[in-house]
Amino acid sequence: MDYLANLTHLDLQLSKLPIVINVDATDPVAYPNRSQLRYYLQVFAPEFYQGSFELLTTLEASEEPPTTLAGITTLPGANFEIQELLHGLLESTVPPFGIDEITLCQAVVLPFYTKAIRKNGNTLINENLLPSSFVFRGGFEDSYYSSYKDRFFTAYLGANRAFLTWKPNAVMIRPNQPEFLGFLTNFSPSPSELRLRVEITYEDWSSETITAKTLANIAAMAVYNIPVGPTQLNLHNRLNAANKPVIRYTVWVSNENNERLSQERTYLIDRRYTKNVRFFLFQNSLGMWDTLDCYGDGTETLKVQRETAEQFRGYEYLPQVAERVINRVTGEREISVAVGYGRYQNAALRQYWQELFFAEQIFLVTERAYLPLTLVNDTYLADDDREKLVPRTLTFRYTNSERSYSQLPTLAAAPARPTGWRGDAPACELNQSTGLRNGKKRYGLLVQYYTDTGEDVKPRIQKANTAGTEGYIPTWDSADCAASTTTFKNVAISQQSVFKRNNCTAGKVGGKWTITVAANSYGSEVSQADANAKAQSAANALDTQDNANLYGTCITATAIPLGLTNACPDAATNPIFAVLIGSDEPITNTSYNAPTVRYAATGLNAGTYNIDIRVAYSSTPFSTFRLRIPSKGFDSGPLSGNQTYRIANITVNWGDPNLIIIGELL
């Protein structure tokens, strides 16, 4: 088994769940009359895979009413839900019939960004470009939304390196069953190759590991469809040196260095005889394709509707002339199948097949094509405590109606006028995980043409230039697409982690670690704010307990020094300060002492404190000052007059820098 690759996963939005963009409320002081305020949201997305961004639409809304609770008023601004708009741009097409190679699913993931616009009547207040993101065509049960809405692709999919399926692991599979797994490359570093690795176990329990399939030119933040059925991997008739067949196999995805990127999934080949087996391919909730094998009894019925008309028989009234004639006959077929006893003795599988009832697309697998179906059943018995054997019967209706009967053999493809594909819409290729140009240029589109004359096929046929598909034109090196030419690049980030080390030896306490992201590590073609937001997301993704245990400090629990600097020069109208904590006064009245620091006799242990600052003047007029604690990012804003000002809920951690309070004139 391959060693795990070290990856950092990134989150995406889900198009089947709410995607809410909030536009902040305007300043209530500057705009006390709220009746004329209007909020707008412009949504931008690429016209085609890795194409340039285009304006999709402009949404308009009024701000939501203010809410007041316990004397606190909240102005929520305006909220825009854009999931339906984005969902309509995404598409998951059924894998081509007979496909046995890894292919890119180009329309399952889409980048987008939004621009917030605020107006007072027709007068523009401001515009604000919001950070770009990615939307994925999928969803999960609504009851998990609050917990996983911003963490599904990291806390679940990334943490488990899961494929895009809810199907239980270690399931039975028929030798001729088509099976697919979806894999999302929402991580860095991005691989240059995807390798489908397979550990094969034979009947005599000998085993071997092979690389079954490889795909190069891998894009970040993209979905790949991977065929893993026994026939698709040429395992159904495979024998080892002792002439023993394959009984089970385990698959996973690795990079070009054979470092494992995904989870491992095991399949047990079921060679038991059954009279009938029908395979149904359906789109799961995560936008990819699962297979249901039904081996119980089935029936197929044909129901026809006849469109009739009346005609004049003629005055001869010949017996062979009909007064009522049939103009058209339209047939609909339904197929009912039992899943078979035994399959549902596994509770996980029984629960999982609820997935079929949420499928937007279902196909019957035949010898020549996938035939589209609609599930007729609208109820499913998910569980019954009284059941011992668990039968289920499903009824499907063929989506396409019939008008004739035939039984034709499959024909070989007829000779056709030779065609090819030429490139269109050249642009610099971006590393989707960093937003930087990667030094290569690519054609975004392909246009089909006749190779004998060079003219475009009529009507014009174009498609995305996708690796692994017919006519794909690889990228090429181009100096104008170097990373340094990216329009916007991030500034450096250095921040303290939230997580602290928790594996220190006895007598030590864990500290934080400094997370850094170098300048120019991330980029954007949209805005500087977007480039910086990508870098910030990367820094936040590094803030994990595992990294804290690797890079965090182990320190002795030492009280944090508490100090005071009065930067207000000596004058009767300038304040002096004292520091109080509860009933103690650790730092007494302190006049101008900048730039020195007056320290309390004892420091602060880890905890949360209310720190009071007593302010006293000798005479009026009172000068204006402010209080700051740089290590905590605290700023009181303008203050004046004799008073005691409370700095509430200041958290002190072991290993913090000195807690210095600064009073300074404004």
Side-chain angles (χ1 to χ4, degrees):
M1 209 67 69
D2 297 341
Y3 291 105
L4 278 174
N6 187 19
L7 304 175
T8 301
H9 287 81
L10 303 175
D11 258 307
L12 300 85
Q13 304 286 335
L14 286 150
S15 67
K16 291 185 178 181
L17 294 170
I19 302 176
V20 181
I21 307 296
N22 176 260
V23 179
D24 291 337
T26 53
D27 184 357
V29 176
Y31 297 92
N33 181 3
R34 318 294 289 178
S35 62
Q36 297 298 312
L37 293 177
R38 292 293 181 270
Y39 297 79
Y40 302 86
L41 188 76
Q42 293 183 333
V43 184
F44 297 81
E47 187 177 3
F48 52 85
Y49 178 69
Q50 290 198 355
S52 58
F53 285 90
E54 304 285 343
L55 174 63
L56 296 180
T57 189
T58 300
L59 306 174
E60 180 181 357
S62 300
E63 70 175 359
E64 296 186 16
T67 59
T68 301
L69 182 64
I72 300 173
T73 300
T74 301
L75 296 172
N79 291 311
F80 296 86
E81 289 197 32
I82 60 173
Q83 67 274 8
E84 296 295 340
L85 172 65
L86 296 175
H87 186 77
L89 302 174
L90 299 167
E91 184 180 12
S92 177
T93 57
V94 64
F97 183 78
I99 188 73
D100 60 1
E101 297 297 331
I102 302 173
T103 55
L104 171 67
C105 305
Q106 62 189 27
V108 178
V109 175
L110 183 75
F112 73 95
Y113 73 90
T114 54
K115 178 195 286 187
I117 302 172
R118 300 189 296 183
K119 291 183 178 181
N120 185 28
N122 294 322
T123 303
L124 178 67
I125 298 174
N126 61 10
E127 296 182 349
N128 183 28
L129 276 178
L130 303 178
S132 62
S133 185
F134 288 85
V135 60
F136 176 89
R137 192 190 193 284
F140 51 78
E141 188 180 330
D142 289 357
S143 61
Y144 295 100
Y145 175 74
S146 61
S147 299
Y148 280 97
K149 63 178 180 179
D150 296 321
R151 303 180 58 205
F152 173 76
F153 290 95
T154 52
Y156 173 75
L157 208 69
N160 296 289
R161 303 189 180 221
F163 289 103
L164 297 169
T165 181
W166 297 110
K167 197 171 192 176
N169 205 343
V171 295
M172 306 290 286
I173 190 169
R174 298 282 172 173
N176 60 335
Q177 177 175 329
E179 188 80 6
F180 300 94
L181 290 174
F183 184 68
L184 174 64
T185 56
N186 64 323
F187 50 79
S188 60
S190 297
S192 62
E193 284 185 359
L194 290 184
R195 296 180 178 179
L196 179 63
R197 303 273 285 162
V198 185
E199 183 184 62
I200 304 168
T201 302
Y202 296 94
E203 196 174 51
D204 58 3
W205 292 102
S206 62
S207 63
E208 62 175 324
T209 299
I210 64 170
T211 299
K213 302 183 186 299
T214 301
L215 183 67
N217 301 310
I218 302 304
M221 303 301 280
V223 173
Y224 290 87
N225 189 59
I226 304 173
V228 294
T231 303
Q232 295 161 313
L233 299 178
N234 293 318
L235 301 180
H236 57 303
N237 291 325
R238 187 184 182 102
L239 302 174
N240 66 2
N243 256 6
K244 299 297 184 182
V246 179
I247 60 170
R248 62 186 293 166
Y249 60 97
T250 299
V251 301
W252 66 92
V253 174
S254 290
N255 61 16
E256 64 278 6
N257 300 317
N258 284 341
E259 297 171 323
R260 184 160 62 87
L261 306 174
S262 74
Q263 68 174 157
E264 301 161 2
R265 292 192 70 87
T266 298
Y267 297 93
L268 313 175
I269 297 182
D270 185 359
R271 301 181 186 274
R272 294 174 297 176
Y273 170 78
T274 54
K275 182 179 178 181
N276 295 300
V277 180
R278 295 176 178 87
F279 300 122
F280 296 90
L281 189 65
F282 66 94
Q283 187 183 74
N284 64 32
S285 295
L286 296 177
M288 299 311 292
W289 298 89
D290 291 352
T291 306
L292 166 62
D293 59 317
C294 295
Y295 57 90
D297 292 335
T299 60
E300 185 167 322
T301 59
L302 172 65
K303 179 182 179 181
V304 299
Q305 290 183 336
R306 298 179 179 89
E307 182 181 302
T308 62
E310 293 186 355
Q311 68 176 3
F312 178 52
R313 293 177 60 187
Y315 291 108
E316 294 83 3
Y317 292 96
L318 298 174
Q320 68 271 26
V321 177
E323 187 175 277
R324 183 176 290 106
V325 295
I326 298 175
N327 288 339
R328 175 177 297 187
V329 179
T330 303
E332 286 189 345
R333 290 185 182 271
E334 288 189 356
I335 180 172
S336 295
V337 293
V339 296
Y341 285 105
R343 184 70 62 192
Y344 284 91
Q345 304 318 304
N346 184 324
L349 269 176
R350 181 176 58 194
Q351 290 291 321
Y352 160 72
W353 287 125
Q354 296 175 75
E355 176 80 291
L356 180 69
F357 284 70
F358 292 99
E360 296 176 3
Q361 299 183 67
I362 304 174
F363 295 86
L364 174 65
V365 180
T366 70
E367 294 181 352
R368 58 185 179 85
Y370 300 139
L371 302 182
L373 303 172
T374 300
L375 182 62
V376 175
N377 305 67
D378 56 9
T379 59
Y380 176 78
L381 182 59
D383 200 3
D384 187 339
D385 292 339
R386 300 167 298 177
E387 283 185 313
K388 295 182 180 178
L389 295 176
V390 188
R392 295 290 185 272
T393 299
L394 303 170
T395 300
F396 302 89
R397 180 177 297 119
Y398 288 81
T399 303
N400 299 328
S401 59
E402 302 178 14
R403 292 183 174 85
S404 302
Y405 170 80
S406 62
Q407 284 291 341
L408 293 172
T410 302
L411 283 178
R417 187 176 176 185
T419 61
W421 297 90
R422 57 169 154 244
D424 194 12
C428 291
E429 185 174 61
L430 301 180
N431 182 326
Q432 295 294 330
S433 62
T434 65
L436 293 171
R437 298 175 182 178
N438 66 1
K440 296 183 180 296
K441 190 166 282 188
R442 68 185 303 274
Y443 285 117
L445 295 173
L446 297 176
V447 178
Q448 194 172 34
Y449 71 101
Y450 294 113
T451 56
D452 52 359
T453 63
E455 63 179 330
D456 290 348
V457 171
K458 305 296 182 184
R460 181 181 173 90
I461 298 175
Q462 68 179 31
K463 67 174 185 174
N465 183 30
T466 304
T469 61
E470 179 190 2
Y472 171 68
I473 300 175
T475 57
W476 65 95
D477 295 333
S478 184
D480 61 341
C481 293
S484 59
T485 68
T486 306
T487 308
F488 303 100
K489 297 180 286 293
N490 74 287
V491 298
I493 290 177
S494 180
Q495 65 186 41
Q496 288 292 299
S497 65
V498 173
F499 286 93
K500 302 177 187 178
R501 188 166 183 164
N502 63 9
N503 60 350
C504 295
T505 58
K508 300 283 187 178
V509 293
K512 300 179 180 181
W513 64 290
T514 301
I515 302 171
T516 59
V517 177
N520 305 323
S521 298
Y522 292 84
S524 173
E525 301 296 329
V526 175
S527 68
Q528 184 63 50
D530 185 44
N532 292 340
K534 287 186 173 74
Q536 186 62 58
S537 295
N540 295 342
L542 292 171
D543 194 357
T544 65
Q545 188 61 61
D546 288 342
N547 283 338
N549 289 343
L550 283 174
Y551 309 118
T553 58
C554 287
I555 58 176
T556 303
T558 303
I560 309 303
L562 171 66
L564 173 64
T565 294
N566 187 338
C568 303
D570 287 328
T573 57
N574 287 342
I576 61 174
F577 304 108
V579 178
L580 299 87
I581 299 178
S583 59
D584 295 331
E585 190 173 332
I587 302 177
T588 56
N589 287 343
T590 302
S591 57
Y592 177 71
N593 68 337
T596 62
V597 180
R598 184 181 183 186
Y599 284 100
T602 58
L604 300 177
N605 293 327
T608 300
Y609 295 86
N610 291 326
I611 301 176
D612 294 334
I613 309 300
R614 189 176 63 220
V615 183
Y617 292 81
S618 297
S619 64
T620 59
F622 300 140
S623 60
T624 302
F625 68 96
R626 69 174 178 178
L627 299 170
R628 291 192 300 118
I629 304 179
S631 64
K632 298 298 180 182
F634 172 79
D635 187 328
S636 68
L639 299 171
S640 183
N642 294 310
Q643 60 180 292
T644 297
Y645 182 85
R646 170 158 290 184
I647 305 173
N649 298 321
I650 292 294
T651 300
V652 176
N653 300 296
W654 300 121
D656 275 358
N658 293 357
L659 197 151
I660 308 299
I661 303 166
I662 301 173
E664 57 192 9
L665 293 178
L666 290 176

